[in-house]
Amino acid sequence: MKYLLSITFICFSYIRFATSSFCYWNTACSYRYFSSVTPYSAVRGDIRDSVINIKECEPVSIWGLFRHGRTHPAAKRAGKMKEAISIRDLVVSSYEKGRCSLCAQDIDNLRDWPVNYDLFEKTNALQDEGYQDMFGIGYRLKTVFPQFLDKLEHESYLFKPSDHHWSKESAEAFVKGLGSQNLVIDNQKILNGPDFIFNDGIDSSQKEDESIDEANEYTISSEFLAANDRIQRRLGIDYSLTDDNITALYDLCRYSWSGLHNKASPWCALFTTEDLKVLEYIEDLVHYYKNGYGRKNASQFGHKPLQDLLQKFQRAKEGKGNIITAYFILAETLEATFTALGWFKDSQPLTAVQKGRDRFWRTSKFSAFSSNLFMVLNRCTNKDVTDYHVMFYMNEEPLRSVCEGGICSWGEFERILSPFLNSTQRYSD
């Protein structure tokens, strides 16, 4: 199934060599894949265009995992980003002395960039872009299934966010996008026993450094050191950039990119496309060894949502299930679920010395802000014979190779999900 999950980026940046580098401001297609900070607009489809319709079939139930919308960075990250803003003056000064290889317009854009203090002070807050993205997903689903999702009764749906204010606000935006009145979001936290919504897939007792060892190894690799050297020479500043400085500048680039208005951040001009790919890979390594195939038993943390999916659809077949079930989660749960399914798995593990340009594990693709995985159960009737089919969608595009043509028979669906039905999820390695 790996060929299904390969990632193709159709937009390429053409490097124009002038004195020594390219001009970012007028690059035909700026690189905008920033691991889990990637804007949803960079990866999403449109369910209105891509929905699979089968003759003589009607939707019975929708089940989905929805990562929260775009947020401001966490406090620790935000603090380092705020400190790194002072490097801007060094870059401008370097350009004026003829040492910096950025283009004049890139320098103007960087100099004129207005400091958005909300970025540093309203940490983890849902941005307007994140709200609009989540609203849009709900709106488009309602547009595709207008009668099915109209006038939902209280016992016919479940909207459940994780216990984080940005997830709750994302759920509110999604529900508002559905356009139905008086829908209730279930904000009650389950206190007895593990629950995938609130554990968000990963045991909080895991030490942070256990998930970044390989990433740290990559920072001393020849590939990363070459990128570090390119950045230093490109900026032409006397100050020697540390790894923390480069990470903070990268965060300024990706957190101040506007996906809503498709407006690139002037901070991204500090990097070449190859530099951005190197920094993206560091993030992929962190996620791979925290939530993915690089962590022993990581797939166990994705069993619970898949178990819930199968049970919800089994009940829907019996006429007792929800019309729609939507969970609003963190990236950890989404990545652990993909790992449990065996998706985005490379033939060789990701390591500090083995970065495949065509790797399947690309968090920019499947773990961007507002990324989602949802399934639609359809009941089909032909000559008084009733059957059921399930369609898989990721980021509003059909996963056509999960089953032929993107349409899974009930038997195929059960074969995919049945291994998770009686699994025991353990929250330790």
Side-chain angles (χ1 to χ4, degrees), residues 104-367:
Q105 189 61 56
D106 287 332
I107 290 293
D108 286 347
N109 293 343
L110 186 63
R111 183 195 290 115
D112 297 339
W113 180 75
V115 179
N116 177 9
Y117 287 99
D118 284 351
L119 197 64
F120 315 116
E121 296 171 1
K122 296 183 178 180
T123 55
N124 288 128
L126 186 71
Q127 294 185 22
D128 179 61
E129 178 179 324
Y131 186 95
Q132 294 299 328
D133 283 338
M134 297 305 298
F135 178 94
I137 296 170
Y139 171 81
R140 290 188 290 275
L141 278 175
K142 178 65 176 291
T143 301
V144 171
F145 305 109
Q147 296 178 331
F148 180 59
L149 294 176
D150 191 37
K151 297 180 180 179
L152 295 170
E153 300 296 332
H154 181 62
E155 298 299 324
S156 68
Y157 64 85
L158 175 63
F159 303 116
K160 194 171 185 65
S162 67
D163 194 31
H164 304 86
H165 60 83
W166 55 91
S167 290
K168 294 176 181 178
E169 291 168 10
S170 294
E172 291 169 3
F174 177 90
V175 168
K176 190 170 183 179
L178 288 176
S180 299
Q181 300 296 319
N182 303 317
L183 295 178
V184 178
I185 297 172
D186 182 0
N187 288 315
Q188 183 178 1
K189 182 172 182 178
I190 296 177
L191 300 177
N192 298 319
D195 181 83
F196 72 88
I197 289 299
F198 300 105
N199 283 279
D200 290 290
I202 297 302
D203 182 10
S204 60
S205 66
Q206 181 191 17
K207 294 180 179 178
E208 183 179 2
D209 59 4
E210 292 176 358
S211 67
I212 61 175
D213 284 346
E214 201 70 31
N216 286 338
E217 285 292 318
Y218 184 64
T219 63
I220 60 175
S221 69
S222 59
E223 189 168 52
F224 178 83
L225 293 175
N228 191 323
D229 183 62
R230 280 196 303 270
I231 296 166
Q232 191 78 50
R233 287 187 290 109
R234 181 170 170 76
L235 303 188
I237 59 179
D238 295 328
Y239 177 75
S240 294
L241 295 171
T242 66
D243 290 350
D244 280 349
N245 291 150
I246 291 175
T247 298
L249 293 172
Y250 178 54
D251 284 339
L252 282 167
C253 157
R254 59 187 188 154
Y255 275 99
S256 61
W257 179 293
S258 174
L260 192 62
H261 303 290
N262 195 28
K263 185 177 180 180
S265 167
W267 287 99
C268 294
L270 275 56
F271 309 96
T272 66
T273 297
E274 188 58 36
D275 298 334
L276 293 173
K277 290 180 178 179
V278 166
L279 295 168
E280 178 191 16
Y281 185 63
I282 293 177
E283 297 291 316
D284 279 348
L285 284 172
V286 172
H287 289 253
Y288 184 84
Y289 285 92
K290 183 180 179 183
N291 312 321
Y293 299 104
R295 180 181 177 187
K296 182 182 179 182
N297 298 328
S299 65
Q300 291 183 0
F301 301 111
H303 288 188
K304 195 68 177 290
L306 296 171
Q307 183 183 93
D308 185 83
L309 164 61
L310 180 55
Q311 291 174 336
K312 289 288 195 300
F313 276 7
Q314 285 174 333
R315 288 182 57 81
K317 280 185 62 183
E318 299 168 358
K320 303 175 183 177
N322 294 333
I323 289 176
I324 182 170
T325 300
Y327 297 106
F328 302 89
I329 56 173
L330 305 190
E332 289 89 334
T333 298
L334 199 57
E335 292 170 9
T337 301
F338 289 136
T339 302
L341 287 166
W343 295 359
F344 305 109
K345 186 175 184 179
D346 294 274
S347 58
Q348 297 295 325
L350 270 61
T351 68
V353 297
Q354 190 163 323
K355 177 171 82 72
R357 290 182 177 272
D358 299 320
R359 64 188 181 278
F360 298 111
W361 184 267
R362 294 291 290 274
T363 51
S364 295
K365 178 66 175 179
F366 57 77
S367 193

